[in-house]
Amino acid sequence: QQQVKQSPQSLIVQKGGISIINCAYENTAFDYFPWYQQFPGKGPALLIAIRPDVSEKKEGRFTISFNKSAKQFSLHIMDSQPGDSATYFCAARRNAGNMLTFGGGTRLMVKP
Amino acid sequence: DAGVIQSPRHEVTEMGQEVTLRCKPISGHDYLFWYRQTMMRGLELLIYFNNNVPIDDSGMPEDRFSAKMPNASFSTLKIQPSEPRDSAVYFCASSESGGASDTQYFGPGTRLTVL
């Protein structure tokens, strides 16, 4: 059972544009929602994360929007740059055990 | 800190052989996770440990896979016998409970190819 669904699978954006990646979850016990960024040949690295008591978190050009009632959250990358080209994973964690459930990933390409 | 260390970085073996992947977590972290990444199935959690004790191994595909954590600074993932469908990138990650951050730190991965 896929508990975190991520879309789109791939995304092409022009430099300077906005990249938007969406995730939906099913388990209401999730209490922490991180986004990971992965470059080719590297392990995923934490980009930004949010807890369900806030609806938005912004760090530089990266923003998470969180809709608790809809059980959805999204990553917005403003002023997208070619260096942002990577695979992005959303994830969700239940309070117990520190275990993350990952979405399927989105391969982002930012064209110069 | 050197981060999570994995070895080898690349492994090529023949079907039926035993494969052992190694991981050294970040010092002081009490959680250790093993993941497998493939194009078809994405990033899957195989097993995780807390304070060297396996907590959840429900993601381990079958009895051919086993994992151990003999001490806080070392873990192994063993596949015996290996099969071509085990070809994937295997990641180890560690995290610290009770810290200011819930971040899981991933290693660089081991790319396994089973011929």
Side-chain angles (χ1 to χ4, degrees):
Chain A
Q1 180 184 4
Q2 185 182 6
Q3 297 189 52
V4 180
K5 295 183 179 180
Q6 183 172 345
S7 63
Q9 287 186 309
S10 62
L11 181 62
I12 300 174
V13 175
Q14 290 294 129
K15 178 182 176 181
I18 302 174
S19 303
I20 301 174
I21 304 171
N22 301 298
C23 283
Y25 63 97
E26 300 167 3
N27 191 339
T28 56
F30 290 142
D31 69 342
Y32 172 70
F33 302 87
W35 284 88
Y36 279 77
Q37 179 188 54
Q38 184 181 27
F39 292 105
K42 304 291 186 182
L46 179 68
L47 182 65
I48 186 173
I50 197 168
R51 297 187 186 277
D53 53 347
V54 297
S55 60
E56 185 175 282
K57 182 173 182 181
K58 184 177 180 179
E59 290 184 1
R61 297 184 293 107
F62 301 91
T63 300
I64 300 178
S65 297
F66 187 83
N67 186 328
K68 188 174 182 179
S69 60
K71 293 188 283 187
Q72 295 175 347
F73 57 112
S74 60
L75 175 70
H76 295 235
I77 306 174
M78 310 300 288
D79 187 27
S80 299
Q81 299 296 313
D84 298 330
S85 297
T87 300
Y88 293 81
F89 293 93
C90 63
R93 189 204 71 177
R94 285 178 297 165
N95 188 32
N98 277 25
M99 189 176 76
L100 291 175
T101 300
F102 283 87
T106 297
R107 182 171 292 184
L108 171 66
M109 179 184 297
V110 181
K111 289 191 170 182
Chain B
D1 198 318
V4 175
I5 299 172
Q6 291 187 246
S7 64
R9 293 294 311 277
H10 301 272
E11 177 79 40
V12 180
T13 189
E14 292 188 347
M15 182 175 61
Q17 297 298 306
E18 175 181 301
V19 174
T20 300
L21 312 181
R22 298 172 175 79
C23 175
K24 176 179 170 57
I26 293 173
S27 177
H29 283 191
D30 55 343
Y31 280 90
L32 183 138
F33 306 82
W34 281 101
Y35 291 90
R36 178 172 68 176
Q37 185 174 38
T38 61
M39 289 294 294
M40 290 297 295
R41 300 177 67 87
L43 199 58
E44 304 174 276
L45 177 67
L46 300 177
I47 185 172
Y48 77 97
F49 296 82
N50 179 219
N51 292 320
N52 313 336
V53 176
I55 303 300
D56 189 333
D57 65 354
S58 59
M60 296 285 262
E62 48 198 275
D63 293 345
R64 298 184 297 107
F65 286 69
S66 63
K68 295 182 179 180
M69 192 165 186
N71 57 63
S73 59
F74 183 66
S75 177
T76 60
L77 178 67
K78 184 180 292 186
I79 308 172
Q80 181 184 19
S82 58
E83 297 182 2
R85 60 193 168 119
D86 302 330
S87 297
V89 180
Y90 291 81
F91 288 103
C92 174
S94 70
S95 68
E96 178 185 19
S97 63
S101 168
D102 298 292
T103 306
Q104 285 189 19
Y105 295 86
F106 282 74
T110 295
R111 181 173 295 276
L112 173 64
T113 302
V114 183
L115 302 175

